[in-house]
Amino acid sequence: MIKVRLFRPGDAPRIAEIVQRCLREVNSRDYPQHVIDKMCAHFTAERFIELSANRLIYVAEGDGVVVGTVSRAGNKVYTMFVDPDFARRGIGRQLVQQVEVSAARDGYDRMETGASITAHGFYLKLGYTDVRTSETEFGFNYILRKTLPPAQAARPL
């Protein structure tokens, strides 16, 4: 059973490990090595602790082990990653739904995200639509948007 909860500073090393594994094992199919190295250097445990001051960071936990993460600032979804050993089990969907519910409760009527080439299809399956593409310091990115249904604001956690 997977439970989504708020980030605690002690989660930072495990989150950094998950992100770096995803980047090296999965995203590396779509991005050159120098981009992967730059992203891995960026997403450290210390960086997640810093980000927690400005973002709501959630973790997915199963049997006491953190297996995924996502964060939100305003109506923007950031850093959604699931341990490759736990991929394709609905954990990513559960994490994104958590930030959507949280944003709706805060009064937002839509979500936006910048998705990697690797994550693009995932967000499309969740109902996000392409707005544009962009080049970032971490390479090519899709900008996607999703309208939140009014009923979502009332959905329990």
Side-chain angles (χ1 to χ4, degrees):
M1 178 72 142
I2 299 297
K3 174 186 168 191
V4 176
R5 64 167 173 78
L6 284 170
F7 166 86
R8 295 187 288 251
D11 299 324
R14 174 68 177 141
I15 291 173
E17 175 189 344
I18 290 168
V19 171
Q20 291 179 18
R21 272 196 68 205
C22 287
L23 292 169
R24 294 200 187 282
E25 296 174 23
V26 182
N27 293 61
S28 61
R29 298 175 200 147
D30 299 315
Y31 291 91
Q33 189 62 48
H34 75 277
V35 170
I36 297 299
D37 290 343
K38 187 173 187 177
M39 290 179 78
C40 286
H42 178 77
F43 287 113
T44 63
E46 296 77 19
R47 179 70 178 145
F48 280 103
I49 291 170
E50 290 171 14
L51 289 172
S52 71
N54 301 312
R55 295 183 187 172
L56 282 172
I57 301 177
Y58 294 92
V59 298
E61 186 177 66
D63 295 325
V65 177
V66 172
V67 297
T69 188
V70 69
S71 63
R72 173 180 79 85
N75 70 330
K76 304 227 183 323
V77 181
Y78 295 99
T79 55
M80 204 299 297
F81 290 93
V82 174
D83 183 320
D85 293 336
F86 292 84
R88 302 203 175 277
R89 297 184 192 182
I91 297 168
R93 176 181 300 271
Q94 192 175 346
L95 285 162
V96 172
Q97 287 172 341
Q98 177 64 54
V99 293
E100 290 173 355
V101 168
S102 173
R105 286 188 174 164
D106 286 348
Y108 294 99
D109 62 357
R110 71 172 187 223
M111 295 301 293
E112 296 182 2
T113 192
S116 66
I117 295 167
T118 313
H120 184 237
F122 167 79
Y123 283 103
L124 291 174
K125 287 178 186 173
L126 294 182
Y128 285 74
T129 57
D130 289 324
V131 175
R132 67 182 186 282
T133 60
S134 71
E135 256 323 301
T136 72
E137 66 178 304
F138 299 122
F140 183 84
N141 214 356
Y142 292 93
I143 307 302
L144 298 103
R145 184 175 293 152
K146 178 181 181 179
T147 300
L148 298 176
Q152 183 143 7
R155 189 187 313 166
L157 290 176

